Amino acid sequence: MIVVMKPEAMSREITSVIARIETDGYKAHLSEGEQHTIIGVVGESPTPLREENYSSMEGVEKVVRITAPYKLASRHFHPADSVVPLNGSQMGGSKILMIAGPCSVESREQIIEIACELKEAGATALRGGAFKPRTSPYSFQGHGEKGLQWLAEARERTGLPIVTEVMDTTQVEMVCNYADVLQIGARNMQNFSLLNKVGESQHTILLKRGMSSTVEDLLMSAEYVLSHGNNRVMLCERGIRTFEKATRNTFDVNAIPVLKALTHLPVIADPSHGTGYWEYVEAIGRAAVAAGADGLIVEVHQCPEQAYSDGRQSLKPERFRAMVQQIGRIAEAVGRTA
Amino acid sequence: MIVVMKPEAMSREITSVIARIETDGYKAHLSEGEQHTIIGVVGESPTPLREENYSSMEGVEKVVRITAPYKLASRHFHPADSVVPLNGSQMGGSKILMIAGPCSVESREQIIEIACELKEAGATALRGGAFKPRTSPYSFQGHGEKGLQWLAEARERTGLPIVTEVMDTTQVEMVCNYADVLQIGARNMQNFSLLNKVGESQHTILLKRGMSSTVEDLLMSAEYVLSHGNNRVMLCERGIRTFEKATRNTFDVNAIPVLKALTHLPVIADPSHGTGYWEYVEAIGRAAVAAGADGLIVEVHQCPEQAYSDGRQSLKPERFRAMVQQIGRIAEAVGRTA
Amino acid sequence: MIVVMKPEAMSREITSVIARIETDGYKAHLSEGEQHTIIGVVGESPTPLREENYSSMEGVEKVVRITAPYKLASRHFHPADSVVPLNGSQMGGSKILMIAGPCSVESREQIIEIACELKEAGATALRGGAFKPRTSPYSFQGHGEKGLQWLAEARERTGLPIVTEVMDTTQVEMVCNYADVLQIGARNMQNFSLLNKVGESQHTILLKRGMSSTVEDLLMSAEYVLSHGNNRVMLCERGIRTFEKATRNTFDVNAIPVLKALTHLPVIADPSHGTGYWEYVEAIGRAAVAAGADGLIVEVHQCPEQAYSDGRQSLKPERFRAMVQQIGRIAEAVGRTA
Amino acid sequence: MIVVMKPEAMSREITSVIARIETDGYKAHLSEGEQHTIIGVVGESPTPLREENYSSMEGVEKVVRITAPYKLASRHFHPADSVVPLNGSQMGGSKILMIAGPCSVESREQIIEIACELKEAGATALRGGAFKPRTSPYSFQGHGEKGLQWLAEARERTGLPIVTEVMDTTQVEMVCNYADVLQIGARNMQNFSLLNKVGESQHTILLKRGMSSTVEDLLMSAEYVLSHGNNRVMLCERGIRTFEKATRNTFDVNAIPVLKALTHLPVIADPSHGTGYWEYVEAIGRAAVAAGADGLIVEVHQCPEQAYSDGRQSLKPERFRAMVQQIGRIAEAVGRTA
């Protein structure tokens, strides 16, 4: 950490900063420039450094953090790629994995039928929401535990592992009973109570980036899960909120190579939410894999115009089948398989 | 709702849209332009209209919603201002109310001492966090129930009602036992499980806008609470996330008159989070009241450089006292009192 | 400037950075932390420091700038408020000045009539566009020199000085012949050729913030004008582009106290573009003055529904008259006059 | 266009809207819903419809535009892909074209040397700035005409056509004398005077998206050029400004398939500005081509740590060579060549 003093800082203000650094158990290293005195904080101490406390001291212009605020998630701490087992393959390995399914579990028949189609088309896992976070209290909120049971039945039929969202700490135990992967949705990325709870569960986690969260925020949320000794975490880029309205969200493809550089965790992409229109899903799925994503999560529905939610961004099964082929060719072009 | 067909839409596609409108129990009203056929959906029906289902039909270019998606929160539904009782006054009445206090409850002494100072300076209610949503799992997470007890003790001493955050459904009952107002933080604005739970509690709610939430999203979240018959909801503008980095957030002052036009609920402003720097808190507090805010929520700490959190944006008590004076003069200038 | 080396940086990489610092004429000041070596760049030299050159050296993690990149615009360089003479008053003095008028000059009669009404209502200067930057090539592009002549005629009648936009270097001379203040529009804030030209002109400049420009970008653009010895520059906050669509732009009220802290130049606000709806213009005008703005620029039209441009955000003259009263009361509340 | 009346609109307000529609030469088509009366504007007329005029009429809630505001740029108007000749190939054809070169032309030797290396590595055209738009007036502003002469010399040696920026209307003629393609930079995307001038020039144009411009804004700027009968326009996605700071800009990969759907013009991508870090340029270049881009423009410098500008995002020639190979494999995977 570096403390930059104001040009007009008085020497007693500088002395106070140094005293505080020493009280916190660190060493102060002074550097006097023409305009600014700069104080480096070096050494180690059990007391964590609170930037804000220094930045609110008198005479301080700003405080610059040097080290990343996350540790367990960082590639510096764990240089090799982590992989997460999924259906006999590994998310984060050389194979590009495809998670697919409808936005919502709508009925027993629907989810079993689509699971069979997806299995045949080459999907690695089945997604489907039983608990649905909906902007409106008047929209369909999911079938709850009944939906989870139907998902489990679809798994029995197809062997596809289940990825499904958990919205609240009180649901974690129940969802763990049915699901292979717990999804934390974008709106809950900073629901820290929930992150702690799913961390404790030791279940595999798919953590979606919040729509206004930075890459660093996402890694800090992963750190919550990892801090419970739960290392089976996949990160998911799903688009951020910007001024552009031609698409539902702006898919931040940059985040893929950035995350691969900063963290050892697998990175997947959701081109369905990332665009909001099925017409663009294939193109963005290809782009994500070309940029280095380890897998995709894609919304597929037999009849999008009858879907209870997200029909506009859902592929029909035959388009998904074609997409799997395309992704296979891109995977090869970047030295991977699909 | 209006369905705009593509210029190249075929007549069987138009027929399908009309059929669906009728199946949903509405009437279709056709309007043929030079390029586009436009289909108005009129009438009433118990089946809610799902825009997405229409927008994913073949031949449809886009669907335009006409009515607001919220009802109970809308001024159209409830034209007169709603007021929320607070400490003998009314949030949303002619008096500008000031909620103040530290970011975190740090100790019994701290919260009692600051409560006394704030009471004397003119505060209407005391804020302070016992459960703290922190980006990092390694940061201070709050004193939990002990913090709530200290808050209750501060209330006994001063008479100031308590505003404090609840982060999770499992905490709601406990927090209700101590707090006068439950705060839903920005990161939980779309934690729908929590919104339902606090709606059921019938406790007074302070709902903060999420940092990437639109005004409409905020009103939809309020609708969750209102849909449980809980009308004591205050909305709070606290800054949104933009590209500008000179301040912690961009305080969206426009949201104040916009909300006052769209909803009957009281609107308050948080200039502390809205700027992130104590130097700007007074100016933005004045601006919010000048724009029509019904109250402010402000972070105040005896010694910001020792604060466990948010020290950089906390006023010292003497600055808060001066701010109360300034707000009083602005309140008068807009025909209100403070 | 501070150069932060990567944890794995080799000593020859550190040596290279030091050598470059010395070649550039500065001194390197080393600080070795547990993880990172940090190199402070101190001293003065005629060679300007190029951050990017250091950040692209091997072994470098990042480069942190300490001093602001602008000089003439900074309050550190010029601590006292600068004022810009306008119609016998001073923008940046204790009086809040009101610039008002239609978006476009539409006809001789229109501009003369509105000028008389505005004069009587208390306006300090008349705005009106003769050259109009329009998103569409098919929209009205302004009356050009004829519009400038009508503006000059309106000035003769009323004594109100003229504020009008210049869009291109080739227009500068002509516009200087008629206008008292040259406006640089938001879309031209980083048209550096134009900034140089208007800087050379020594005319008074009203520089609008670009819709995706940071406060620092705005100050750098002001620096272009100031670097020609032209100190008569007013800055204008007019809203930035964000995800929020309830208003045309998001008026960044934070920018007002931030600018007042960073620069000595007068700061004005445009609540018309800042909101896009006449219903919100008064509220945001009041907020801007409460936050410390030195003046306002407001769109007023006799008959907004007949306006050639921006009718949706134009006040009628009687509303403007009421607004002047409101601003007067806010001005008094913050110790100024109007 | 559709005019949505307020629920409380009076019948004389509806009559006024209808009267105005008829005065403008169109027909009004009424549709009365439970809450809102909706008025469709149908037919054709020489008078262009001004949405704002209707939206500012009394009783009007909002106006919804149905048709795109651009015409010549739209795929509806010109369904087949347009191609732009470049160095014997065609931008927009099946081959992916690579434009490469340094940010700035720094010296005669530099530009000739890099041109030879790029030619050999497989570049299709040479980029390099002679006029540089720089945020700071104190930064290197480019060598001007001398730089253009050096570029022309590099073309003579290598046969590579020249792509270079023009910043101001007064430079257009001179730049046309040397360059094959005139680049309009992001900061000038809405410099309408310049767009008109380069439109008149009939030279090939590379139009970069502004950092806060929507896809629609970009197409409207293209429309300016096209409206002069100049059809040789390439569009370039180069990243937009968002809250994310891990990269210089957020590369909007969604814009690529969106533009390919909306317009017939070729679409290229700039992964150098799109990320700001050379480490991510290859990944984002691959992503852009996988998403459907017709070509790339990439910054390459022999010695990035000595570059006058943008060193941090410049590839070394050997990395560029490797990138060309990668792009070739992605091109094949999407059924194209490189």
Side-chain angles (χ1 to χ4, degrees):
Chain A
M1 199 176 82
I2 296 166
V3 181
V4 180
M5 303 301 295
K6 289 182 183 166
E8 67 274 19
M10 283 173 289
S11 64
R12 67 164 173 76
E13 292 168 341
I14 296 173
T15 309
S16 292
V17 172
I18 295 170
R20 172 138 204 186
I21 290 169
E22 290 170 353
T23 304
D24 278 352
Y26 299 85
K27 269 176 262 171
H29 192 270
L30 237 79
S31 184
E32 290 184 39
E34 297 296 302
Q35 273 193 29
H36 298 269
T37 294
I38 289 160
I39 307 174
V41 183
V42 296
E44 281 194 72
S45 156
T47 311
L49 283 165
R50 281 192 200 124
E51 288 164 58
E52 277 188 343
N53 290 165
Y54 288 90
S55 65
S56 48
M57 291 182 78
E58 281 174 33
V60 172
E61 182 157 312
K62 64 176 168 180
V63 174
V64 180
R65 180 157 50 72
I66 300 300
T67 47
Y70 45 87
K71 186 184 166 190
L72 305 174
S74 89
R75 201 175 265 288
H76 184 65
F77 173 77
H78 184 296
D81 282 349
S82 288
V83 297
V84 172
L86 190 69
N87 194 14
S89 292
Q90 293 180 316
M91 190 67 90
S94 69
K95 193 167 188 290
I96 305 298
L97 305 187
M98 300 285 281
I99 304 169
C103 179
S104 302
V105 179
E106 297 171 9
S107 71
R108 184 177 166 278
E109 292 64 37
Q110 173 234 18
I111 195 69
I112 291 174
E113 185 190 311
I114 192 88
C116 295
E117 293 203 59
L118 293 169
K119 164 80 173 181
E120 203 211 339
T124 312
L126 176 67
R127 62 151 289 154
F131 295 98
K132 298 299 309 168
R134 302 303 299 275
T135 308
S136 166
Y138 311 125
S139 297
F140 174 64
Q141 309 272 321
H143 282 302
E145 188 162 12
K146 208 163 48 173
L148 296 173
Q149 289 165 346
W150 295 335
L151 281 165
E153 217 177 317
R155 175 177 50 200
E156 265 171 59
R157 290 279 190 98
T158 59
L160 291 178
I162 299 304
V163 179
T164 199
E165 179 157 357
V166 57
M167 282 175 63
D168 185 53
T169 54
T170 60
Q171 298 162 352
V172 172
E173 201 180 327
M174 185 211 295
V175 180
C176 283
N177 286 337
Y178 297 95
D180 301 277
V181 179
L182 304 186
Q183 178 179 311
I184 303 295
R187 289 176 179 77
N188 276 314
M189 194 202 85
Q190 293 193 320
N191 180 336
F192 302 113
S193 304
L194 185 57
L195 294 175
N196 280 324
K197 194 81 178 179
V198 301
E200 289 164 12
S201 77
Q202 304 299 328
H203 236 71
T204 300
I205 307 304
L206 191 165
L207 178 62
K208 296 189 109 179
R209 180 181 182 184
M211 70 182 88
S212 68
S213 298
T214 62
V215 162
E216 188 175 295
D217 291 338
L218 174 60
L219 290 171
M220 291 305 287
S221 287
E223 192 83 5
Y224 263 91
V225 180
L226 296 167
S227 71
H228 293 279
N230 183 350
N231 298 314
R232 288 188 292 168
V233 179
M234 309 177 234
L235 306 175
C236 180
E237 164 60 32
R238 48 74 76 202
I240 58 174
R241 202 164 245 192
T242 71
F243 62 82
E244 177 60 71
K245 294 294 153 189
T247 46
R248 183 178 178 185
N249 291 292
T250 297
F251 183 78
D252 181 9
V253 70
N254 285 356
I256 295 173
V258 169
L259 282 167
K260 296 303 284 183
L262 297 178
T263 186
H264 51 91
L265 298 170
V267 177
I268 70 174
D270 175 347
S272 307
H273 287 87
T275 60
Y277 295 88
W278 67 263
E279 296 91 328
Y280 307 134
V281 167
E282 290 156 90
I284 301 310
R286 293 193 307 262
V289 172
D294 296 306
L296 299 178
I297 180 165
V298 181
E299 291 190 344
V300 185
H301 196 283
Q302 290 101 321
C303 185
E305 62 266 33
Q306 301 292 343
Y308 288 16
S309 52
D310 282 356
R312 192 66 191 81
Q313 69 195 34
S314 296
L315 292 181
K316 291 185 182 169
E318 61 266 28
R319 295 295 298 235
F320 176 69
R321 196 185 303 268
M323 185 181 179
V324 172
Q325 305 305 313
Q326 295 173 26
I327 295 302
R329 287 193 291 274
I330 299 288
E332 267 177 60
V334 294
R336 303 180 76 162
T337 61
Chain B
M1 200 175 80
I2 296 166
V3 181
V4 179
M5 302 302 294
K6 290 181 183 167
E8 68 271 19
M10 283 173 290
S11 64
R12 66 163 173 76
E13 292 167 343
I14 296 172
T15 309
S16 291
V17 171
I18 295 171
R20 172 140 204 183
I21 290 168
E22 291 170 352
T23 304
D24 279 353
Y26 298 86
K27 269 176 263 171
H29 192 271
L30 238 78
S31 184
E32 289 183 41
E34 297 296 303
Q35 274 192 27
H36 298 269
T37 293
I38 289 161
I39 308 173
V41 183
V42 297
E44 280 194 74
S45 157
T47 310
L49 283 165
R50 284 192 198 123
E51 288 165 60
E52 278 187 343
N53 291 165
Y54 289 89
S55 64
S56 48
M57 290 182 79
E58 281 172 35
V60 172
E61 183 158 310
K62 64 176 171 183
V63 173
V64 180
R65 180 159 49 73
I66 300 299
T67 47
Y70 44 87
K71 184 183 167 191
L72 306 173
S74 89
R75 200 175 266 288
H76 184 67
F77 173 78
H78 185 295
D81 282 347
S82 289
V83 297
V84 173
L86 190 68
N87 196 12
S89 289
Q90 293 181 315
M91 189 68 89
S94 71
K95 192 167 189 288
I96 305 297
L97 305 187
M98 300 286 281
I99 304 169
C103 179
S104 302
V105 179
E106 296 171 10
S107 72
R108 184 179 168 276
E109 292 64 36
Q110 174 234 20
I111 194 69
I112 291 174
E113 185 190 310
I114 192 87
C116 295
E117 293 203 58
L118 293 169
K119 164 80 176 183
E120 202 210 340
T124 312
L126 176 66
R127 61 150 292 153
F131 295 98
K132 297 298 310 168
R134 302 302 299 274
T135 308
S136 167
Y138 311 125
S139 297
F140 175 64
Q141 309 272 321
H143 282 301
E145 188 162 10
K146 210 164 46 174
L148 295 173
Q149 289 165 346
W150 296 334
L151 281 166
E153 218 176 315
R155 175 178 47 201
E156 265 171 59
R157 289 279 191 98
T158 59
L160 292 178
I162 300 305
V163 179
T164 199
E165 180 158 358
V166 58
M167 283 174 62
D168 186 54
T169 54
T170 61
Q171 298 162 355
V172 172
E173 201 181 327
M174 186 212 292
V175 179
C176 283
N177 286 336
Y178 297 96
D180 300 278
V181 179
L182 304 186
Q183 178 179 313
I184 303 294
R187 289 175 179 78
N188 277 315
M189 193 203 85
Q190 294 192 320
N191 180 336
F192 302 113
S193 303
L194 185 57
L195 294 175
N196 280 323
K197 193 82 178 177
V198 302
E200 289 164 12
S201 78
Q202 304 300 328
H203 236 70
T204 300
I205 307 303
L206 190 165
L207 179 61
K208 296 189 107 178
R209 179 182 183 184
M211 70 182 89
S212 67
S213 297
T214 61
V215 162
E216 187 176 295
D217 290 339
L218 174 59
L219 291 171
M220 291 305 287
S221 287
E223 191 84 6
Y224 263 92
V225 180
L226 296 167
S227 70
H228 294 278
N230 183 349
N231 298 314
R232 288 188 292 166
V233 179
M234 308 177 232
L235 306 176
C236 180
E237 164 59 31
R238 48 75 75 202
I240 57 173
R241 202 164 244 194
T242 71
F243 62 83
E244 177 58 72
K245 293 295 153 187
T247 46
R248 183 179 178 184
N249 291 293
T250 296
F251 183 78
D252 180 9
V253 71
N254 286 356
I256 295 172
V258 170
L259 282 167
K260 297 303 284 181
L262 297 178
T263 185
H264 52 91
L265 298 170
V267 176
I268 70 174
D270 175 349
S272 307
H273 287 87
T275 60
Y277 295 88
W278 67 262
E279 295 92 326
Y280 308 133
V281 167
E282 289 155 272
I284 301 309
R286 293 193 307 261
V289 173
D294 297 305
L296 299 178
I297 179 165
V298 181
E299 291 191 344
V300 186
H301 196 283
Q302 291 100 322
C303 185
E305 61 267 31
Q306 302 291 344
Y308 287 16
S309 52
D310 282 355
R312 191 66 191 80
Q313 70 195 32
S314 295
L315 292 182
K316 291 185 183 169
E318 62 265 29
R319 294 296 297 238
F320 176 69
R321 195 184 304 266
M323 184 179 179
V324 171
Q325 306 306 314
Q326 295 172 25
I327 295 301
R329 286 193 292 273
I330 298 287
E332 267 176 61
V334 294
R336 303 179 76 162
T337 61
Chain C
M1 199 175 80
I2 296 167
V3 181
V4 179
M5 303 300 296
K6 291 181 182 166
E8 67 273 18
M10 284 173 287
S11 64
R12 65 163 174 75
E13 291 168 343
I14 297 173
T15 310
S16 291
V17 172
I18 296 171
R20 172 139 201 184
I21 290 168
E22 291 170 352
T23 305
D24 278 353
Y26 299 86
K27 268 176 265 173
H29 191 270
L30 238 77
S31 183
E32 291 185 38
E34 295 296 303
Q35 274 192 29
H36 297 269
T37 294
I38 290 161
I39 307 173
V41 183
V42 296
E44 282 194 72
S45 157
T47 311
L49 283 165
R50 282 190 200 129
E51 289 164 59
E52 277 188 343
N53 290 166
Y54 288 90
S55 64
S56 49
M57 291 183 78
E58 282 174 32
V60 172
E61 183 157 308
K62 63 176 169 182
V63 173
V64 180
R65 180 158 49 75
I66 300 299
T67 46
Y70 45 87
K71 187 183 166 192
L72 306 175
S74 90
R75 200 174 266 289
H76 184 67
F77 173 78
H78 185 296
D81 282 349
S82 287
V83 297
V84 173
L86 189 69
N87 194 15
S89 291
Q90 293 180 315
M91 190 67 90
S94 69
K95 193 167 188 291
I96 305 298
L97 305 188
M98 301 286 281
I99 304 169
C103 179
S104 303
V105 179
E106 297 171 9
S107 71
R108 183 176 167 278
E109 292 63 35
Q110 173 234 21
I111 195 68
I112 291 174
E113 183 189 312
I114 192 87
C116 295
E117 293 204 58
L118 293 169
K119 164 80 175 184
E120 201 210 341
T124 313
L126 176 67
R127 62 150 290 155
F131 296 97
K132 297 299 309 168
R134 303 303 299 274
T135 308
S136 166
Y138 311 125
S139 297
F140 174 63
Q141 309 273 323
H143 282 301
E145 188 161 11
K146 207 163 48 173
L148 295 173
Q149 289 164 346
W150 295 334
L151 281 166
E153 215 175 321
R155 175 177 49 202
E156 264 172 60
R157 289 281 191 97
T158 60
L160 292 177
I162 299 305
V163 178
T164 199
E165 180 158 356
V166 59
M167 284 175 62
D168 185 54
T169 53
T170 58
Q171 298 162 355
V172 173
E173 200 180 327
M174 186 210 295
V175 179
C176 283
N177 287 337
Y178 297 95
D180 301 277
V181 179
L182 304 186
Q183 178 179 313
I184 302 294
R187 290 176 178 76
N188 277 317
M189 193 203 85
Q190 294 193 318
N191 180 335
F192 302 113
S193 303
L194 184 58
L195 294 174
N196 280 324
K197 194 81 179 177
V198 300
E200 289 165 12
S201 78
Q202 304 300 327
H203 236 71
T204 300
I205 307 304
L206 190 165
L207 178 61
K208 296 190 110 179
R209 180 182 181 184
M211 69 181 91
S212 68
S213 296
T214 62
V215 162
E216 187 175 296
D217 290 339
L218 173 60
L219 291 171
M220 291 305 288
S221 287
E223 191 84 6
Y224 263 92
V225 179
L226 296 167
S227 71
H228 293 279
N230 183 349
N231 299 314
R232 288 188 292 166
V233 178
M234 308 177 233
L235 305 175
C236 180
E237 163 60 32
R238 47 76 75 201
I240 57 174
R241 202 165 244 195
T242 71
F243 62 83
E244 178 59 70
K245 293 295 153 187
T247 45
R248 183 179 179 183
N249 292 292
T250 297
F251 183 78
D252 181 8
V253 70
N254 286 356
I256 295 172
V258 169
L259 281 167
K260 296 304 285 183
L262 297 178
T263 186
H264 51 91
L265 298 171
V267 176
I268 70 174
D270 174 349
S272 307
H273 287 86
T275 59
Y277 295 88
W278 67 262
E279 296 92 325
Y280 307 134
V281 166
E282 289 155 272
I284 301 309
R286 294 192 306 261
V289 173
D294 298 306
L296 299 177
I297 179 165
V298 181
E299 291 190 346
V300 186
H301 195 283
Q302 291 100 321
C303 185
E305 63 267 32
Q306 302 291 344
Y308 288 16
S309 52
D310 283 355
R312 192 65 191 81
Q313 70 194 32
S314 295
L315 293 181
K316 291 185 183 169
E318 60 266 29
R319 294 296 298 236
F320 176 69
R321 193 184 306 265
M323 184 180 179
V324 171
Q325 305 306 313
Q326 295 173 26
I327 295 300
R329 287 193 291 273
I330 299 287
E332 266 176 61
V334 294
R336 304 179 75 162
T337 60
Chain D
M1 199 175 81
I2 296 168
V3 180
V4 179
M5 301 302 294
K6 290 182 183 166
E8 70 272 19
M10 283 173 288
S11 64
R12 65 162 174 76
E13 292 167 342
I14 296 172
T15 309
S16 291
V17 172
I18 295 170
R20 172 138 201 185
I21 290 168
E22 291 170 352
T23 305
D24 278 352
Y26 299 86
K27 269 176 264 172
H29 190 272
L30 238 77
S31 184
E32 290 184 39
E34 295 296 303
Q35 275 191 29
H36 297 269
T37 294
I38 290 162
I39 307 173
V41 183
V42 296
E44 281 194 73
S45 156
T47 310
L49 283 165
R50 282 190 200 127
E51 288 165 61
E52 277 187 343
N53 290 165
Y54 288 90
S55 64
S56 48
M57 290 182 79
E58 281 173 34
V60 172
E61 183 157 308
K62 62 176 170 182
V63 174
V64 180
R65 179 158 49 73
I66 300 299
T67 47
Y70 45 87
K71 184 182 168 192
L72 306 174
S74 89
R75 201 175 264 289
H76 184 67
F77 173 77
H78 184 297
D81 283 348
S82 287
V83 297
V84 172
L86 189 69
N87 194 15
S89 291
Q90 292 181 316
M91 189 67 90
S94 69
K95 193 167 189 289
I96 306 298
L97 305 187
M98 302 284 281
I99 304 169
C103 179
S104 301
V105 178
E106 297 172 8
S107 71
R108 184 177 167 279
E109 291 65 35
Q110 174 235 18
I111 195 68
I112 292 175
E113 185 190 309
I114 193 86
C116 295
E117 293 203 58
L118 293 169
K119 164 80 174 181
E120 203 211 340
T124 313
L126 176 68
R127 62 151 288 155
F131 295 97
K132 297 299 309 168
R134 302 303 298 275
T135 308
S136 167
Y138 311 125
S139 297
F140 174 64
Q141 309 273 321
H143 282 301
E145 187 161 13
K146 207 163 49 174
L148 295 173
Q149 290 165 345
W150 296 334
L151 281 166
E153 215 175 319
R155 175 177 50 201
E156 265 172 58
R157 289 280 191 100
T158 59
L160 292 177
I162 299 305
V163 179
T164 199
E165 180 157 356
V166 57
M167 284 175 62
D168 185 54
T169 53
T170 59
Q171 297 162 354
V172 172
E173 199 180 330
M174 186 211 293
V175 178
C176 284
N177 287 337
Y178 297 95
D180 301 277
V181 180
L182 304 187
Q183 178 179 312
I184 302 296
R187 289 176 179 77
N188 276 316
M189 193 203 84
Q190 293 193 320
N191 180 334
F192 303 113
S193 303
L194 184 57
L195 293 175
N196 281 324
K197 194 81 179 179
V198 301
E200 289 164 12
S201 78
Q202 305 299 328
H203 236 70
T204 300
I205 307 303
L206 191 164
L207 178 62
K208 296 190 110 179
R209 180 181 181 184
M211 68 181 91
S212 67
S213 297
T214 62
V215 161
E216 187 174 296
D217 290 339
L218 174 59
L219 291 171
M220 292 305 288
S221 286
E223 192 83 5
Y224 263 92
V225 180
L226 296 167
S227 70
H228 293 279
N230 183 350
N231 299 313
R232 288 188 293 166
V233 178
M234 308 178 234
L235 306 175
C236 181
E237 164 60 33
R238 49 76 75 202
I240 58 174
R241 202 164 245 194
T242 71
F243 62 83
E244 177 60 70
K245 293 296 153 187
T247 46
R248 184 178 179 185
N249 291 294
T250 297
F251 183 77
D252 181 9
V253 70
N254 286 355
I256 295 172
V258 169
L259 282 167
K260 296 304 284 184
L262 298 178
T263 185
H264 52 90
L265 298 170
V267 177
I268 71 174
D270 175 348
S272 306
H273 287 87
T275 59
Y277 295 88
W278 66 263
E279 295 92 327
Y280 307 134
V281 167
E282 289 156 271
I284 302 311
R286 293 192 306 262
V289 173
D294 297 305
L296 299 177
I297 180 164
V298 182
E299 291 191 345
V300 186
H301 196 282
Q302 290 102 320
C303 184
E305 63 266 32
Q306 303 291 344
Y308 287 16
S309 52
D310 283 355
R312 192 65 191 79
Q313 70 195 33
S314 295
L315 293 181
K316 291 184 183 172
E318 61 267 27
R319 294 295 299 236
F320 176 70
R321 194 183 304 265
M323 184 179 179
V324 172
Q325 305 306 313
Q326 295 173 27
I327 295 301
R329 286 192 292 273
I330 299 287
E332 267 176 59
V334 294
R336 304 179 75 162
T337 60

